[in-house]
């Protein structure tokens, strides 16, 4: 059973776009959120600090955020 699975895995097309010959850098993002809720007024307020660490040798020219409540 293991040999059959291994053979299938080796023959299966690798369509994920990953090329093992290309260097790969894992990026990192740390965040800290401080929030408070004023229940009487129904107001949620807060501050978020994001630290993004670019481990690749390429310059990061854009940075996009998607904020969801």
């Amino acid at each position: 059973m293991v040999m059959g699975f291994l053979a299938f895995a080796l023959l299966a097309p690798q369509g994920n776009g990953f090329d093992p010959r290309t260097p790969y850098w894992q990026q990192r993002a740390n965040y800290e959120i401080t929030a408070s809720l004023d229940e009487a007024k129904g107001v949620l307020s807060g501050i978020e600090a994001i630290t993004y660490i670019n481990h690749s040798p390429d310059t990061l020219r854009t940075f996009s955020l998607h904020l969801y409540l």
Side-chain angles (χ1 to χ4, degrees):
M1 178 71 175
V2 173
M3 288 298 282
F5 177 77
L6 181 60
F8 175 77
L10 292 174
L11 295 175
Q14 302 297 316
N16 62 3
F18 178 72
D19 184 351
R21 296 167 294 185
T22 303
Y24 175 77
W25 294 274
Q26 181 68 46
Q27 307 303 356
R28 182 177 176 129
N30 296 328
Y31 60 93
E32 182 178 333
I33 301 172
T34 304
S36 62
L37 174 62
D38 185 337
E39 290 186 56
K41 293 181 182 177
V43 175
L44 174 65
S45 59
I47 297 172
E48 180 174 14
I50 299 172
T51 304
Y52 187 87
I53 301 164
N54 180 15
H55 287 289
S56 81
D58 299 326
T59 300
L60 183 64
R61 303 216 183 270
T62 61
F63 185 80
S64 299
L65 296 175
H66 298 275
L67 303 175
Y68 301 99
L69 181 59

